[in-house]
Amino acid sequence: MDLSGAAPQKPIVARAKAIILTPKDEWPVIAAETTTQGDILKGYVLPLAAIGPVAGFIGGQLFGYGAFGISFRPGLIAGLSSAIISYALGILGIFILAFIANVLAPKFGGTENKLNAFKLVAYGATASWLAGIFGLIPSLGFFGLLGLYSIYLFYTGAGPLMNVPQDKAVGYVAVTILCAIVLAIIVTPITAAITGLWGASTITASGSGEVSGSATIPGVGT
């Protein structure tokens, strides 16, 4: 029994459903929970953050990627290495963005709180993580834009968790999201570079001089 009066962490499915459907009611509940970053990381972030990379890997292997009649299906090692690296960097991004959100809070009339900043970013990312499931069928990737709902989640959580006044919440969210975009711009080429190095080392180790994968081009073939 918890004698502190604070609620324990909700099960992952119940939490994801609540934060998506009733965020304004759920954020105060989250603020009152007696959880650590480790609890949130293991019980929520790690499972949900894996949805996009795993779905993308499976979709790439089954259907490949393409547009205008041209498609490309990556090899097993290339697809797997890309998924693993994207997953790892995605987790790292949560910590970095939580740090940014915490530092920015006082600039917008809020209060610094490392744990609450981590909660805000971790639970606020729920929509974007769930939208990653569309990676299973690359042609439906457009629906991944539903992940932008995370911006609204972040907005509704800024007050309850970081004490940011409502009239300054939009600015707080905008600056934090801008930092997230910059972070993504930085991370994307790093992911590509690391994936390339991993793929190159795998090719060298196997003694092969070819990169696995297949491309289908209209009028040319596969």
Side-chain angles (χ1 to χ4, degrees), residues 48-144:
L48 290 188
I51 293 176
V54 171
F57 169 71
I58 295 175
Q61 293 301 302
L62 293 179
F63 304 104
Y65 308 96
F68 307 109
I70 300 176
S71 63
F72 173 72
R73 182 174 300 172
L76 180 63
I77 298 301
L80 184 60
S81 62
S82 179
I84 293 174
I85 294 169
S86 295
Y87 179 56
L89 290 179
I91 299 300
L92 177 61
I94 292 297
F95 284 94
I96 296 175
L97 194 56
F99 172 79
I100 294 172
N102 188 47
V103 171
L104 287 176
K107 311 295 183 182
F108 293 87
T111 305
E112 282 194 44
N113 186 310
K114 292 181 179 179
L115 176 58
N116 280 357
F118 188 80
K119 288 181 178 181
L120 178 62
V121 173
Y123 293 125
T126 300
S128 62
W129 284 331
L130 294 179
I133 193 65
F134 291 108
L136 278 172
I137 304 177
S139 61
L140 298 180
F142 177 81
F143 289 101

Side-chain angles (χ1 to χ4, degrees), residues 171-193:
Y172 174 64
V173 172
V175 174
T176 306
I177 295 301
L178 178 61
C179 291
I181 293 174
V182 172
L183 179 62
I185 293 174
I186 295 174
V187 167
T188 299
I190 293 177
T191 303

Side-chain angles (χ1 to χ4, degrees), residues 142-181:
F142 177 81
F143 289 101
L145 291 175
L146 293 174
L148 293 176
Y149 182 63
S150 279
I151 297 177
Y152 176 72
L153 297 181
F154 198 92
Y155 167 75
T156 55
L161 271 73
M162 305 308 295
N163 296 319
V164 175
Q166 187 174 6
D167 61 332
K168 295 183 179 180
V170 172
Y172 174 64
V173 172
V175 174
T176 306
I177 295 301
L178 178 61
C179 291
I181 293 174

